[in-house]
mmCIF file of all heavy atoms in Angstrom:
data_model
loop_
_atom_site.group_PDB
_atom_site.id
_atom_site.type_symbol
_atom_site.label_atom_id
_atom_site.label_comp_id
_atom_site.label_asym_id
_atom_site.label_seq_id
_atom_site.Cartn_x
_atom_site.Cartn_y
_atom_site.Cartn_z
ATOM 1 N N PRO A 1369 -6.286 27.161 10.241
ATOM 2 C CA PRO A 1369 -7.138 26.005 10.579
ATOM 3 C C PRO A 1369 -6.352 24.957 11.263
ATOM 4 O O PRO A 1369 -5.175 24.623 10.937
ATOM 5 C CB PRO A 1369 -7.353 25.504 9.161
ATOM 6 C CG PRO A 1369 -6.481 26.095 8.301
ATOM 7 C CD PRO A 1369 -5.974 27.356 8.963
ATOM 8 N N SER A 1370 -6.915 24.301 12.210
ATOM 9 C CA SER A 1370 -6.207 23.273 13.026
ATOM 10 C C SER A 1370 -6.600 21.806 12.506
ATOM 11 O O SER A 1370 -5.784 20.885 12.883
ATOM 12 C CB SER A 1370 -6.533 23.448 14.599
ATOM 13 O OG SER A 1370 -7.962 23.206 14.620
ATOM 14 N N ALA A 1371 -7.612 21.669 11.887
ATOM 15 C CA ALA A 1371 -8.174 20.365 11.470
ATOM 16 C C ALA A 1371 -7.155 19.592 10.606
ATOM 17 O O ALA A 1371 -6.985 18.385 10.969
ATOM 18 C CB ALA A 1371 -9.454 20.415 10.806
ATOM 19 N N LYS A 1372 -6.457 20.218 9.684
ATOM 20 C CA LYS A 1372 -5.564 19.448 8.752
ATOM 21 C C LYS A 1372 -4.519 18.805 9.546
ATOM 22 O O LYS A 1372 -4.085 17.590 9.440
ATOM 23 C CB LYS A 1372 -4.950 20.401 7.751
ATOM 24 C CG LYS A 1372 -4.122 19.786 6.750
ATOM 25 C CD LYS A 1372 -3.334 20.727 5.799
ATOM 26 C CE LYS A 1372 -4.321 21.448 4.857
ATOM 27 N NZ LYS A 1372 -3.690 22.249 3.941
ATOM 28 N N GLY A 1373 -3.769 19.533 10.428
ATOM 29 C CA GLY A 1373 -2.748 18.989 11.186
ATOM 30 C C GLY A 1373 -3.181 17.852 12.111
ATOM 31 O O GLY A 1373 -2.334 16.846 12.261
ATOM 32 N N ILE A 1374 -4.368 18.002 12.749
ATOM 33 C CA ILE A 1374 -4.761 16.907 13.528
ATOM 34 C C ILE A 1374 -5.184 15.710 12.699
ATOM 35 O O ILE A 1374 -4.881 14.571 13.183
ATOM 36 C CB ILE A 1374 -6.017 17.369 14.347
ATOM 37 C CG1 ILE A 1374 -5.558 18.571 15.455
ATOM 38 C CG2 ILE A 1374 -6.752 16.100 15.078
ATOM 39 C CD1 ILE A 1374 -6.663 19.089 16.204
ATOM 40 N N ILE A 1375 -5.829 15.877 11.654
ATOM 41 C CA ILE A 1375 -6.307 14.758 10.826
ATOM 42 C C ILE A 1375 -5.046 13.937 10.257
ATOM 43 O O ILE A 1375 -5.101 12.769 10.275
ATOM 44 C CB ILE A 1375 -7.115 15.264 9.633
ATOM 45 C CG1 ILE A 1375 -8.462 15.768 10.111
ATOM 46 C CG2 ILE A 1375 -7.370 14.176 8.527
ATOM 47 C CD1 ILE A 1375 -9.391 16.346 9.130
ATOM 48 N N LEU A 1376 -4.105 14.747 9.875
ATOM 49 C CA LEU A 1376 -2.853 14.001 9.298
ATOM 50 C C LEU A 1376 -2.140 13.185 10.498
ATOM 51 O O LEU A 1376 -1.753 12.040 10.198
ATOM 52 C CB LEU A 1376 -1.804 15.088 8.692
ATOM 53 C CG LEU A 1376 -2.251 15.743 7.397
ATOM 54 C CD1 LEU A 1376 -1.361 16.895 7.101
ATOM 55 C CD2 LEU A 1376 -2.162 14.689 6.235
ATOM 56 N N SER A 1377 -2.129 13.883 11.639
ATOM 57 C CA SER A 1377 -1.526 13.199 12.726
ATOM 58 C C SER A 1377 -2.164 11.892 13.144
ATOM 59 O O SER A 1377 -1.586 10.794 13.458
ATOM 60 C CB SER A 1377 -1.473 14.091 13.915
ATOM 61 O OG SER A 1377 -0.740 15.307 13.635
ATOM 62 N N VAL A 1378 -3.574 12.018 13.209
ATOM 63 C CA VAL A 1378 -4.434 10.743 13.619
ATOM 64 C C VAL A 1378 -4.293 9.648 12.503
ATOM 65 O O VAL A 1378 -4.140 8.474 12.866
ATOM 66 C CB VAL A 1378 -5.895 11.248 13.631
ATOM 67 C CG1 VAL A 1378 -6.746 9.992 13.792
ATOM 68 C CG2 VAL A 1378 -6.008 12.057 14.791
ATOM 69 N N GLY A 1379 -4.221 10.073 11.294
ATOM 70 C CA GLY A 1379 -4.007 9.072 10.213
ATOM 71 C C GLY A 1379 -2.680 8.363 10.301
ATOM 72 O O GLY A 1379 -2.649 7.148 10.178
ATOM 73 N N ALA A 1380 -1.670 9.206 10.637
ATOM 74 C CA ALA A 1380 -0.420 8.641 10.793
ATOM 75 C C ALA A 1380 -0.345 7.602 11.984
ATOM 76 O O ALA A 1380 0.141 6.437 11.861
ATOM 77 C CB ALA A 1380 0.620 9.719 11.031
#
Side-chain angles (χ1 to χ4, degrees):
S1370 61
K1372 184 188 292 185
I1374 292 175
I1375 291 170
L1376 288 170
S1377 299
V1378 170

